Amino acid sequence: MKESKLSVPKYQMVRNYILSMIQNKELSAHARIPSEKDFIEKLGVSSITVRRALAELVDEGIIYRVKGKGSFISDQKQKDQTRTKLITFVLSGKDMYDNSYMQIMKGIQSYLSKHGYKLIIEFIENDIDREKDLVKKLIQTDCEGLLIYSSDPEAAKEYLTDIQSKRIPIVLLDRFPMGIPLPCIACNNYDGGFEAVSHLIDLGHSKIGFCAYDFFLNSEKERYLGYQHALMNANLLTDSTNFFSRSKLDYEDLVTAIKKGNLTALFCVNDRMALEVMEQLIKMGIKIPEDLSIIGFDDFESSKYAKVPLSTVRQHFEKLGYEAAKLLLETSTKTQMEAKKVLLPTNLIIRDSTAPPS
């Protein structure tokens, strides 16, 4: 026993002695610990040694002092309940004040606040390198979990694999990479795309184009798959000349196709793209929906106030945030991370930008 005491610093002996009393339930929450004199006599240490040990335990929150009365054992259960628990939402997007982002944040905050968590928001202006650096720093902190809306999930595979190996609670929102089984939540992009194109077909359209925004994203590919299957379901062929991407979109060619009758309707992968296309075509003399029906996806707040109110597929962004936070806390209680994928339903919203072909 004597050899054991000499193997550690003397102040550590005092510290370990107090911790063993707590562990053996000789001292319970708010119980007064022995006096400095008691430790000196029992352990054969100096008053300076005792004070150093007590100061360290105070810093760690294990004991607390009351002036004129002594030192007492902290209530660890109460301490755990009052400790601020942090969740970080990493949002890599184009516009911090986009209403859809604000709705997601509102949903996350709504769920977390009910369970004693605080939300930290880290916004990055669509920069995958900054996104990587930020997340690598965050996983070194005491953050309890991460919600990530990545600008490029495929490019994020490196840090996502690191998170997976460290078993840090994480949920991906809206988009995710292939080949890394991580919890994620998104709207049902396939069904939404299928329903949007089926609506155009029901109106009598057969020459329906697809306009992508960032086609490397799985969410856009799933909407495109819904588009293809809706055409197949109506025995219509997919025409590769009617596939347009934001980076290669030639409005002169688009107008020519519309005027020749080769294109009567357009499914845009999101409202941002749909509103941009609509604005440019109207400037070039195309009437919406008389010359071209346009339907989007997302139902941004601005879509219903467009020059021609936009038909679209509504995502429930607040619900997305709420369910993402819920899934994250569920994930944090599991001993092993599950690649759970949650899909939320969408709704078709019909406004003035779609009509039967002229």
Side-chain angles (χ1 to χ4, degrees):
M1 185 74 176
K2 189 174 181 182
E3 183 180 341
S4 172
K5 287 182 180 179
L6 291 173
S7 65
V8 295
K10 288 189 175 181
Y11 82 91
Q12 191 72 32
M13 286 169 43
V14 180
R15 182 180 183 280
N16 290 346
Y17 182 75
I18 295 172
L19 290 176
S20 68
M21 293 177 77
I22 296 172
Q23 189 174 4
N24 296 332
K25 297 185 179 178
E26 295 173 48
L27 292 174
S28 57
H30 308 298
R32 187 177 184 279
I33 67 172
S35 67
E36 184 178 304
K37 183 180 177 182
D38 291 333
F39 285 121
I40 293 170
E41 293 176 354
K42 189 169 188 68
L43 301 176
V45 294
S46 67
S47 61
I48 293 175
T49 298
V50 175
R51 287 170 195 166
R52 180 178 175 184
L54 296 182
E56 188 173 285
L57 291 172
V58 169
D59 289 342
E60 292 177 19
I62 294 170
I63 67 173
Y64 64 94
R65 287 174 171 149
V66 178
K67 191 173 181 179
K69 294 186 178 180
S71 298
F72 301 82
I73 304 299
S74 298
D75 186 339
Q76 294 301 306
K77 188 175 180 181
Q78 184 181 58
K79 178 188 167 190
D80 289 341
Q81 290 174 343
T82 57
R83 180 173 61 87
T84 301
K85 297 179 287 185
L86 302 175
I87 298 294
T88 302
F89 177 33
V90 178
L91 173 58
S92 186
K94 295 183 184 299
D95 183 359
M96 176 60 179
Y97 301 103
D98 187 312
N99 186 261
S100 61
Y101 296 156
M102 304 303 284
Q103 289 178 57
I104 293 172
M105 293 176 208
K106 183 179 177 183
I108 294 170
Q109 183 62 49
S110 174
Y111 187 84
L112 293 181
S113 62
K114 293 178 183 177
H115 295 82
Y117 287 81
K118 297 290 184 183
L119 177 63
I120 298 173
I121 298 166
E122 294 281 359
F123 180 76
I124 301 163
E125 191 72 33
N126 243 44
D127 186 329
I128 188 62
D129 291 326
R130 285 186 58 212
E131 181 183 318
K132 288 178 185 177
D133 290 342
L134 172 63
V135 174
K136 285 179 179 179
K137 289 176 183 175
L138 287 172
I139 62 179
Q140 304 300 324
T141 69
D142 58 356
C143 182
E144 307 256 344
L146 296 171
L147 295 163
I148 298 180
Y149 187 106
S150 176
S151 61
D152 188 347
E154 290 298 325
K157 278 186 174 180
E158 179 192 347
Y159 78 68
L160 291 174
T161 302
D162 194 23
I163 288 173
Q164 187 183 40
S165 67
K166 288 181 168 62
R167 302 195 177 189
I168 297 166
I170 179 177
V171 169
L172 302 177
L173 284 80
D174 188 66
R175 60 279 297 262
F176 48 88
M178 301 303 292
I180 302 181
L182 289 170
C184 62
I185 186 161
C187 76
N188 194 325
N189 291 294
Y190 171 85
D191 282 2
F194 187 94
E195 191 173 17
V197 178
S198 295
H199 163 64
L200 295 173
I201 293 169
D202 290 343
L203 289 173
H205 293 279
S206 59
K207 297 174 181 178
I208 304 168
F210 180 91
C211 193
Y213 195 81
D214 288 322
F215 199 60
F216 58 87
L217 295 174
N218 68 284
S219 53
E220 296 203 9
K221 291 177 180 177
E222 289 171 4
R223 292 171 198 180
Y224 181 65
L225 194 60
Y227 158 84
Q228 287 183 308
H229 285 183
L231 292 178
M232 290 170 58
N233 193 55
N235 295 316
L236 297 173
L237 296 175
T238 304
D239 186 347
S240 60
T241 62
N242 283 340
F243 179 92
F244 308 94
S245 64
R246 175 175 57 109
S247 58
K248 298 177 181 177
L249 186 57
D250 186 320
Y251 284 103
E252 294 290 347
D253 289 346
L254 192 59
V255 169
T256 300
I258 294 167
K259 288 184 175 178
K260 285 184 176 180
N262 295 332
L263 186 69
T264 64
L266 189 63
F267 170 39
C268 292
V269 77
N270 59 39
D271 284 6
R272 184 179 280 111
M273 189 76 249
L275 294 172
E276 180 184 312
V277 169
M278 185 188 296
E279 182 182 1
Q280 292 300 320
L281 290 179
I282 289 174
K283 286 180 182 178
M284 298 173 77
I286 298 298
K287 295 179 181 178
I288 310 294
E290 293 86 350
D291 298 330
L292 182 77
S293 285
I294 298 180
I295 190 166
F297 200 111
D298 286 332
D299 194 24
F300 285 173
E301 185 68 19
S302 57
S303 297
K304 58 186 169 186
Y305 302 116
K307 195 165 188 179
V308 180
L310 182 68
S311 293
T312 188
V313 176
R314 176 177 292 163
Q315 279 202 69
H316 300 277
F317 293 107
E318 188 171 336
K319 179 75 170 174
L320 180 73
Y322 187 92
E323 293 297 327
K326 182 179 178 183
L327 180 58
L328 182 68
L329 296 198
E330 288 175 359
T331 300
S332 67
T333 63
K334 303 283 178 66
T335 55
Q336 202 165 21
M337 190 177 292
E338 297 177 358
K340 186 175 182 180
K341 183 178 181 182
V342 178
L343 295 181
L344 302 178
T346 58
N347 297 104
L348 184 64
I349 305 298
I350 307 303
R351 298 195 181 104
D352 299 343
S353 68
T354 52
S358 301

